[in-house]
Amino acid sequence: MEVLMSDSPLIDMSEITKLVSEMNVDRASPVPLSVQKASLLARRLLSRASELQTPQERRQQHELERMMNSGSDKSTLIQMTDQAFRSERAARSAEQLTHILDVQGVPRFFSTFDRAMLKGFQSFGAYLPGVSIPLVKDKMRAETANVVLPAEPELLQGHLAERRQHGVRMNVNYLGEALLGEQDAQRRLESYLAALQLPEIEVISVKVSTIYSQISSIAHHRAVQILSDRMELLYRAAARARFTRSDGIEVPKFVYLDMEEYRDLSITVDTFIETLDRPGLEHVGAGIALQAYVPDSAAVQKRITEWGRKRVAAGGAPVTIRIVKGANMEMERVEASVEGWPQAPFMEKVDTDACYKLMIEYGLRPENADAVKIGVASHNLFDLSYALVLTVERQVSAHVQFEMLEGMANHQRRALSELAPNILLYAPATRREDFVNAIGYLIRRLDENTGDDNFLRHTFKLEIGSEEWESLERDFIECFDRIERLNLVPRRTQDRRSPPQEGGSLTRAEFVNEPDTDFALPQNIEWAQGILARWRGRHGENAPRIPLYVAGQEVLGERDVRECLDPSRPGL
């Protein structure tokens, strides 16, 4: 069999092309034709997904629907998930779970059998924790196994091989807690290198915070230098390795740089560009995720696209941008509240949706897609349909892939795959002994996907023509009007270079604490570097000659001097 060397799968778009071209649209309507077609296509996808849904998926859907109708049940499930795996002592876990069930009751959305099991645990689990807790943990792992894959090689490889047989591509993300030091970072880096050697793995996702433990925004250039050294190892390993897809096409393996917190945005982007600019990496394909809920992302997309076009024009390989809406909103809100900063993401969901569509449209322009491929990451059928329509109209199917979450609305993914065969599933994975690492991911997904403004929240009982469907469709169409009024200026604008405001008399009610310095912003890094530059000459023999300031005046001249120890300069 001939082995083809390509990183673009051969995609048959004839059916979707025919479908889009034959759609009956209202040319007199103020709604753009591509938006009208997207609404019609979304209806088809939902109808087909309902036909493909299995009985087991319907049962899970009904359970989730019952849970979302009870805020207390959702809270109980989150607490159970959080508490069951935290302690290594079975007795401690049993005590916590029993307390939760005593206070909040057994969640009503569970099946009759599961409710009976939990009631039995509530009564007797504490007496035999060494038996009961492992059973509870095994049950919870089994219930979440379709969302968080087991990372043990034999289990993970089996799942990936099965997916490959069905033509489903996978992007593996190894979940892990925050690094505890550089030894931990080195182990994580080695685990990524080992994963790229597994024949069943095609794509992995990496966060910069998992390969370097000392990331500091104020040491931006130093962090980028070290991260680039480590990402170069991963990119070169991926380029050397090969993966054979289900259609027989052999491709180099692929590394995505995931986006996490806003404070790591500029470091992640600079690492991505500076690493791939290194000699020998010109022909290496790689990807980066951008979050549409951060207004800065639109400008970052343009920066990467302009760089990518120059790279391809010089004979280099295209790169990929995965466009997501963002999944760390609560983390961003907490940080902003603690530090006294504005929230980095948009304040309103409609702005996030508008920015997402803006970035999709820009990315799917032929002149851009040739250099920067687009990963359309969403479960919103309207957004997926909009991207599909643009893909067909602009004939850029070779440069687009659709990305969804493993274990989320699988029937909709199967419906989409009939029209857009190039689908990549984002698959978190963790080992049994490290399952505690999955807790944050599971809770975030549960919280995100059950929010009132999230599309997945409504898919459990969504029907064409229903009030919910009409509302979602109306929001989708009206969102395009929002694009024209979208404010893409970064929400965090603090600038320590600006002169301080003159103080005045303030009442206690008027007094507000000064926010912490936001070193994620380049202007504040420049401010800090300016301070260092002014003090560079004051070292060595000059270090002790620090003038006094009395009543705002610098005091020089002769004064008594005595020997002392400078803790920052031991031995001098």
Side-chain angles (χ1 to χ4, degrees), residues 128-141:
L128 293 171
V131 176
S132 61
I133 288 298
L135 291 175
V136 171
K137 289 184 176 181
D138 287 343
K139 174 67 174 175
M140 295 185 75
R141 285 194 194 96

Side-chain angles (χ1 to χ4, degrees), residues 312-327:
V312 170
V319 294
T320 300
I321 294 179
R322 179 207 297 142
I323 303 177
V324 302
K325 292 190 178 177

Side-chain angles (χ1 to χ4, degrees), residues 42 44-54 57 61 378-382 384 388 404-405 408-420 423 425 455-463 469 472:
R44 186 192 187 283
L45 286 173
L46 180 63
S47 177
R48 181 57 178 154
S50 299
E51 296 172 0
L52 295 173
Q53 194 173 28
T54 66
E57 288 170 343
Q61 174 176 300
S378 179
H379 279 267
N380 186 310
L381 294 182
F382 290 104
L384 292 169
L388 255 177
M404 306 177 84
L405 298 171
M408 296 285 184
N410 285 330
H411 58 301
Q412 293 181 4
R413 185 261 305 164
R414 292 195 295 273
L416 178 66
S417 67
E418 294 179 347
L419 299 176
I423 294 180
L425 290 189
F455 185 87
L456 278 175
R457 165 68 173 82
H458 304 279
T459 57
F460 306 113
K461 55 180 179 180
L462 200 55
E463 295 181 0
W469 176 265
L472 290 169

Side-chain angles (χ1 to χ4, degrees), residues 127-233:
Y127 294 102
L128 293 171
V131 176
S132 61
I133 288 298
L135 291 175
V136 171
K137 289 184 176 181
D138 287 343
K139 174 67 174 175
M140 295 185 75
R141 285 194 194 96
E143 289 294 323
T144 59
N146 62 327
V147 179
V148 178
L149 303 181
E152 287 76 13
E154 63 279 4
L155 298 175
L156 180 61
Q157 289 173 266
H159 181 89
L160 297 179
E162 181 181 354
R163 283 299 201 196
R164 179 182 172 278
Q165 288 177 356
H166 290 91
V168 178
R169 299 174 56 226
M170 303 290 285
N171 172 10
V172 179
N173 171 31
Y174 289 93
L175 299 177
E177 293 287 354
L179 298 176
L180 298 178
E182 280 301 274
Q183 288 185 344
D184 199 6
Q186 191 61 37
R187 283 194 296 270
R188 199 74 62 86
L189 179 62
E190 290 171 357
S191 72
Y192 291 141
L193 291 170
L196 289 170
Q197 303 309 309
L198 297 177
E200 292 81 5
I201 286 184
E202 176 188 4
V203 182
I204 65 171
S205 277
V206 175
K207 295 181 177 66
V208 294
S209 61
T210 65
I211 59 173
Y212 181 36
S213 65
Q214 304 300 312
I215 293 177
S216 172
S217 297
I218 196 171
H220 180 98
H221 298 296
R222 174 66 173 167
V224 169
Q225 178 185 10
I226 293 174
L227 286 167
S228 296
D229 290 342
R230 296 178 185 183
M231 287 304 303
E232 181 177 357
L233 294 175

